[in-house]
Amino acid sequence: MPDRRGRSIVRRHIAAVLTCLALGSVLSGMVPASARAEATLLPGGEYPDAQCTSPMRPFAGDKAWEWDLYRQKMGAYRACVDAYVRRARADIEHIQGKIDKAVREYNREVTMP
C-alpha cells in the first residue's frame, strides 16, 4: 500500500508543479514584450542563456568506453560553461564602466557652480 500512496503524492506534486508552470506562462504572456523589454537596456530585454548542453550520464553498469565518452563530453561542457562565465563577467565589467561614466558625468554637471 505505501507504494500506491507514494505514487499518488508524487503525481499530485507533479500536477501542482505543472499547474504553476502553466499559470506562470500564461501570466508572463499577459505582459507585452515591449513592457518587459523596458525594464532593461539589454537588446531583446534579457541576457542570453548559456548555449551549453549537459551530456547524458551513463548508467552504473554501462561499458567503460561509454564512461570515457561521457567524461570527454563533460570536459567540453565545462569548457563551454567556463567560456560563458568569462564572457558574462567581461560584459558586467563593461556595463559597470558605462554606469561609472554616467555617474561621473552627472556628478560633474551637478557640482559645477
Side-chain angles (χ1 to χ4, degrees):
M1 285 296 179
D3 283 24
R4 287 185 186 172
R5 187 171 151 244
R7 279 188 242 151
S8 176
I9 291 170
V10 169
R11 284 186 185 139
R12 277 190 257 143
H13 283 281
I14 291 172
V17 168
L18 292 175
T19 301
C20 289
L21 289 173
L23 182 60
S25 174
V26 168
L27 292 177
S28 68
M30 295 175 135
V31 178
S34 60
R36 287 190 302 259
E38 289 173 9
T40 179
L41 296 175
L42 292 171
E46 245 183 72
Y47 195 79
D49 292 331
Q51 299 299 310
C52 307
T53 305
S54 175
M56 293 291 293
R57 183 183 187 91
F59 293 103
D62 284 349
K63 301 197 181 329
W65 68 266
E66 291 174 298
W67 281 97
D68 290 340
L69 182 60
Y70 170 73
R71 284 185 201 89
Q72 180 183 0
K73 288 180 179 180
M74 279 301 292
Y77 178 48
R78 179 181 176 137
C80 179
V81 171
D82 286 345
Y84 174 79
V85 169
R86 278 193 311 276
R87 285 190 305 265
R89 286 187 175 147
D91 289 344
I92 290 169
E93 289 177 19
H94 181 75
I95 292 168
Q96 188 63 54
K98 298 253 182 197
I99 292 168
D100 293 344
K101 180 182 174 191
V103 170
R104 276 192 314 273
E105 289 174 358
Y106 172 80
N107 286 336
R108 188 178 21 224
E109 289 297 320
V110 173
T111 57
M112 289 183 80

